[in-house]
């Protein structure tokens, strides 16, 4: 990978590695137990940065593509990673693989994309007012 691509893609790769390390910890239980859906919220929240970072990296390297196509690519990449992470957890002692966690991961990826798009739109509006 050339230096420029590494500079652009290291943040989502580092976040994915952090998720992998976290999912490799045996017998890890959720720190929050308020509702039965706490685990799903946590999945969505920890996958949100992955969606944001992937979308940002793809926008930098594929600026010619439309935002909806980049959103789709980010969704597919992030969701595939979430599914692979659930499969990985199946083999970790004391961890469980749950399709609902993968759905929560996908929701987090989409939310990250939406936040990126909104932030980029707000930034471009603010930039226009500065000139």
């Amino acid at each position: 990978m050339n230096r420029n691509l590494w500079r652009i893609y290291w943040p989502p790769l580092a976040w994915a590695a952090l998720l992998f390390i976290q999912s490799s910890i045996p017998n890890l239980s959720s720190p929050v137990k308020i509702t039965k859906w706490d685990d799903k919220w946590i999945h969505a929240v920890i996958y949100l940065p992955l969606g944001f970072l992937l979308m940002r990296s793809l926008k930098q390297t594929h600026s010619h593509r439309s935002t909806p196509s980049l959103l789709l690519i980010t969704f597919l990449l992030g969701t595939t990673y979430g599914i692979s992470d659930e499969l990985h957890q199946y083999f970790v002692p004391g961890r469980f693989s749950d399709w609902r966690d993968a759905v929560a991961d996908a929701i987090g990826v989409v939310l990250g994309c939406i936040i990126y798009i909104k932030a980029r739109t707000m930034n471009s509006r603010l930039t226009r007012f500065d000139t």
Side-chain angles (χ1 to χ4, degrees):
M1 183 179 289
N2 83 31
R3 275 185 160 190
N4 200 32
L5 282 179
W6 174 248
R7 184 184 58 76
I8 292 169
Y9 281 98
W10 82 261
L13 291 171
W15 191 260
L18 187 66
L19 291 173
F20 182 83
I21 291 166
Q22 180 271 336
S23 69
S24 298
I25 300 170
N27 302 312
L28 184 66
S29 63
S30 176
V32 179
K33 285 290 183 193
I34 298 170
T35 71
K36 68 179 187 174
W37 297 102
D38 292 339
D39 178 52
K40 305 312 172 233
W41 285 108
I42 291 169
H43 275 266
V45 168
I46 65 174
Y47 270 80
L48 186 150
L50 183 64
F52 183 95
L53 295 169
L54 271 173
M55 185 74 175
R56 185 182 73 173
S57 296
L58 286 168
K59 187 69 174 167
Q60 290 175 3
T61 57
H62 296 84
S63 58
H64 61 282
R65 289 189 177 265
S66 69
T67 299
S69 70
L70 291 175
L71 180 84
L72 178 62
I73 293 167
T74 303
F75 172 77
L76 292 173
L77 287 172
T79 300
T80 301
Y81 187 77
I83 291 168
S84 72
D85 191 42
E86 286 304 311
L87 293 173
H88 164 246
Q89 286 184 47
Y90 178 79
F91 298 101
V92 177
R95 298 299 292 265
F96 303 97
S97 182
D98 184 356
W99 66 269
R100 291 169 291 214
D101 289 346
V103 171
D105 297 343
I107 290 169
V109 168
V110 170
L111 291 174
C113 289
I114 291 168
I115 290 170
Y116 173 80
I117 293 165
K118 293 291 185 187
R120 189 171 163 87
T121 302
M122 284 177 46
N123 188 34
S124 69
R125 286 182 187 155
L126 291 173
T127 305
R128 277 188 265 149
F129 289 120
D130 285 341
T131 56

